[in-house]
Amino acid sequence: MQRSPAPTTAKLSFVGLANNDRVPGKFTVRFAISGMEIAPAGQARRNAGHHHLLIDTELPALDRPIPSDFNHIHFGGGQTEAEIALTPGRHTLQLLFADHNHVPHDPPIMSDRITVEVAADPAEKPRSAAAPGGRVFFIDLKDGATIPTRAKIRFGIEGIAITPAGTMSPNGGHHHLLVDAEVPALDREIPSDFNHLHFGRGQTEVELTLPPGEHTLQLLLGDHEHVPHDPPVMSERIRVRVVDMAQAVSATPAAVGGRPRTAAPNDAVVYFIYPKDGATIFPSSTIRFGLRNMGVAPAGVAKPNTGHHHLLVDVPTPGLGEPIPSDLNHIHLGGGQTERRITLPPGKHTLQLLLADAAHVPHDPPVMSERITVTVMPGGRKSARRR
Amino acid sequence: MRISRRSFAGLLAASCVMAGPFWAADGLAQAVKRQKPPPGALVYFHYPLDGLRVPERFTVRIGLRNMGVAPAGVEHAATGHHHLLIDTDPGPPGRPIPSDYNNIHLGNGQTEVVVTLPKGPHTLQLLLGDHTHTPHDPPVMSPKITIYVR
């Protein structure tokens, strides 16, 4: 095959990547070409061509088109960088320039072959630590239990707090229910699909519909980024037999430990109208609350789909099965207020909203906001928190 | 930017006709005892604001200062529930707020509501009602704002 000529001065190299570099499992490779130009594949131009990245392979034959497979990646659109994912271990990378027909030039324009090492364990980002003794478990559901096709599965938690996804907390996480699935890789985000159900808003139960037959269930707690803790907080994997409602003898438990929590609509959302996460605010500021798909009622008023706000200042999410404490850090808006003026000392503070029912107990699923961080600017007249 | 009240008087007239029969029909609210709002009580729009251009479907977010929200029917000091008045004026203050397309009751204590309006200018106003839907004395009411639906 006819090879296109190339100037001998042309040089091809990796940008910011040297031999024996350690790299993460997924990273961006950048290519630099000098003395030639980049043209998309198929465009015959003098002194021009497009990049090919050779991964874990020797140089191909130089007188024919470069193969196209997982080891020979073509950048026929004229790309000059690519994000690649490599398995842990050592890999070789090499760049090879080729003409409009994917045939290397004469002389071939290529980079040195370099070796990179992908860390065996992506340990650059430590997993959230879980306190020893933290555990999750199924409430009133034992290994080998028989449940109807549509069953309410309740999750118990002990020694670790429930915080919604997105909210960082020293010892908290949210539930994931693994249905008919093995434990996923513990060093990365738990997958999100029909077999890995996320309860990112801090739900502690789910109405699960399963086809009749044998199934396995397992709980796995994830941190704010859905990554399991270190050590992982997970339940036993239990086997359940699902039978059709019609012939199911009510083998499911009726009594549930603890007090019943008021139900909340699944799409209810409480959020901060002001301030937003990361905002800088005055020492004395009015915090404004938004509530979607639910209504506000004063404390003591039991009405479906209503609740009253609680503003949590500089505290982790309290236990969701009991009344929200009432103190300086747990501000009750029992009169049905939808905003509150507070005074905070300068510095960083966290704020979170949590709706609760007539008896100050959070709903199920809990209606709570992410915990936001605000910075109080210095220079206030008062620095003591009011009330 | 504020357009003159006269330019959509026709719209207002139409809505008053619609709302009229409600007031005519109710004679029972003659001697309703009106609640006193707490001092400094104020209802206001978080969104939209006066003069804003909005899409046909948008969420009205309601702020309330120095007072609380309670669902309709719940008698609780210093509370009330929101009413969103669209393209209409408040009725006589001593009467319960009518319930129709122009007077949207947020009787479950909601603090926001999604509304869909035809293109063009519209007026919005917030009015708090007590457990019997009657405005307080003096009424806790926002200024009437004009928005442009695009």
Side-chain angles (χ1 to χ4, degrees):
Chain A
M1 198 148 191
Q2 181 69 44
R3 289 171 68 186
S4 306
T8 48
T9 52
K11 251 178 69 88
L12 183 57
S13 62
F14 290 103
V15 180
L17 194 64
N19 200 18
N20 293 326
D21 267 2
R22 289 176 71 86
V23 294
K26 196 172 183 183
F27 65 105
T28 301
V29 190
R30 296 191 170 80
F31 327 132
I33 179 85
S34 66
M36 289 189 84
E37 280 178 46
I38 290 178
Q43 284 188 20
R45 265 168 49 193
R46 231 180 100 72
N47 288 349
H50 63 280
H51 291 290
H52 298 76
L53 176 61
L54 314 182
I55 302 179
D56 296 334
T57 181
E58 301 287 325
L59 269 187
L62 295 176
D63 56 354
R64 62 191 64 163
I66 300 172
S68 183
D69 55 32
F70 287 125
N71 296 97
H72 304 80
I73 302 176
H74 283 243
F75 299 98
Q79 301 96 314
T80 57
E81 63 174 55
E83 189 177 55
I84 61 171
L86 296 176
T87 53
R90 292 174 77 78
H91 298 274
T92 65
L93 297 177
Q94 187 171 21
L95 288 173
L96 178 58
F97 216 55
D99 65 10
H100 57 286
N101 281 331
H102 307 279
V103 180
H105 294 78
D106 187 17
I109 310 301
M110 56 192 172
S111 73
D112 292 331
R113 183 144 63 131
I114 64 169
T115 303
V116 295
E117 185 167 359
V118 177
D121 195 279
E124 312 93 55
K125 219 173 67 181
R127 285 152 61 191
S128 301
R135 68 186 196 101
V136 290
F137 51 91
F138 291 103
I139 296 176
D140 292 331
L141 191 62
K142 297 265 182 299
D143 190 29
T146 303
I147 59 172
T149 48
R150 187 169 175 78
K152 184 164 270 189
I153 313 290
R154 290 169 216 274
F155 323 137
I157 189 162
E158 218 176 72
I160 186 164
I162 290 187
T163 48
T167 297
M168 283 187 68
S169 82
N171 189 27
H174 62 280
H175 287 295
H176 298 79
L177 178 61
L178 314 182
V179 182
D180 298 333
E182 299 286 326
V183 178
L186 295 174
D187 56 356
R188 60 201 64 180
E189 215 174 286
I190 300 170
S192 183
D193 54 34
F194 289 122
N195 295 97
H196 304 79
L197 307 179
H198 283 243
F199 300 94
R201 292 196 298 110
Q203 299 94 315
T204 56
E205 62 175 45
V206 63
E207 284 262 342
L208 191 66
T209 306
L210 288 174
E214 294 268 345
H215 296 276
T216 67
L217 298 176
Q218 186 170 21
L219 286 173
L220 175 58
L221 213 65
D223 66 6
H224 59 288
E225 287 181 312
H226 310 279
V227 179
H229 293 75
D230 190 15
V233 180
M234 56 187 171
S235 75
E236 293 287 301
R237 184 147 61 141
I238 63 169
R239 286 172 300 112
V240 293
R241 172 184 288 279
V242 175
V243 293
D244 208 325
M245 269 294 220
Q247 57 256 59
V249 193
S250 170
T252 41
V256 182
R259 76 184 75 210
R261 285 160 62 188
T262 310
N266 250 324
D267 52 358
V269 179
V270 64
Y271 61 95
F272 287 99
I273 294 176
Y274 180 88
K276 298 288 184 212
D277 191 17
T280 300
I281 62 172
F282 287 107
S284 213
S285 292
T286 300
I287 313 298
R288 300 192 163 95
F289 325 139
L291 180 62
R292 192 174 306 152
N293 298 325
M294 266 185 99
V296 177
V301 174
K303 206 158 189 302
N305 295 344
T306 65
H308 64 280
H309 290 290
H310 295 79
L311 175 60
L312 313 182
V313 184
D314 296 333
V315 284
T317 312
L320 298 174
E322 54 222 54
I324 299 172
S326 185
D327 55 35
L328 289 180
N329 296 94
H330 301 78
I331 302 174
H332 283 244
L333 290 312
Q337 299 93 321
T338 55
E339 58 182 53
R340 174 60 175 263
R341 193 168 180 82
I342 60 171
T343 303
L344 293 171
K348 280 208 183 303
H349 296 276
T350 69
L351 300 175
Q352 187 176 23
L353 290 173
L354 177 56
L355 209 72
D357 65 9
H360 305 280
V361 180
H363 294 78
D364 196 9
V367 182
M368 59 182 163
S369 75
E370 288 194 2
R371 187 148 76 237
I372 65 167
T373 304
V374 297
T375 306
V376 173
M377 61 174 74
R381 286 158 295 150
K382 290 181 281 182
S383 59
R385 183 176 306 152
R386 201 173 65 177
R387 290 233 286 155
Chain B
M1 271 305 283
R2 212 187 159 103
I3 67 161
S4 97
R5 182 66 51 88
R6 197 177 306 138
S7 65
F8 52 100
L11 199 57
L12 282 179
S15 59
C16 286
V17 168
M18 214 195 286
F22 276 87
W23 302 330
D26 90 63
L28 73 159
Q30 286 302 336
V32 174
K33 172 118 175 55
R34 290 171 64 193
Q35 308 255 332
K36 270 231 153 339
L42 175 74
V43 65
Y44 62 97
F45 286 97
H46 282 303
Y47 182 90
L49 299 178
D50 193 23
L52 218 58
R53 290 178 186 282
V54 297
E56 281 175 288
R57 186 175 162 82
F58 61 99
T59 302
V60 177
R61 298 202 164 85
I62 306 168
L64 181 62
R65 190 168 302 161
N66 296 324
M67 247 184 119
V69 177
V74 172
E75 195 169 356
H76 195 280
T79 65
H81 65 278
H82 294 296
H83 298 78
L84 174 64
L85 278 49
I86 303 178
D87 297 334
T88 185
D89 284 312
R95 305 281 186 86
I97 300 166
S99 184
D100 56 32
Y101 289 125
N102 296 90
N103 297 270
I104 297 175
H105 283 243
L106 305 181
N108 202 33
Q110 298 95 315
T111 54
E112 57 183 58
V113 58
V114 178
V115 296
T116 306
L117 290 176
K119 289 191 192 338
H122 296 276
T123 69
L124 300 177
Q125 190 168 19
L126 294 169
L127 175 57
L128 211 68
D130 66 9
H131 61 286
T132 66
H133 305 277
T134 310
H136 295 73
D137 187 16
V140 181
M141 189 160 65
S142 78
K144 183 185 268 187
I145 65 168
T146 302
I147 54 155
Y148 303 90
V149 175
R150 54 176 155 80

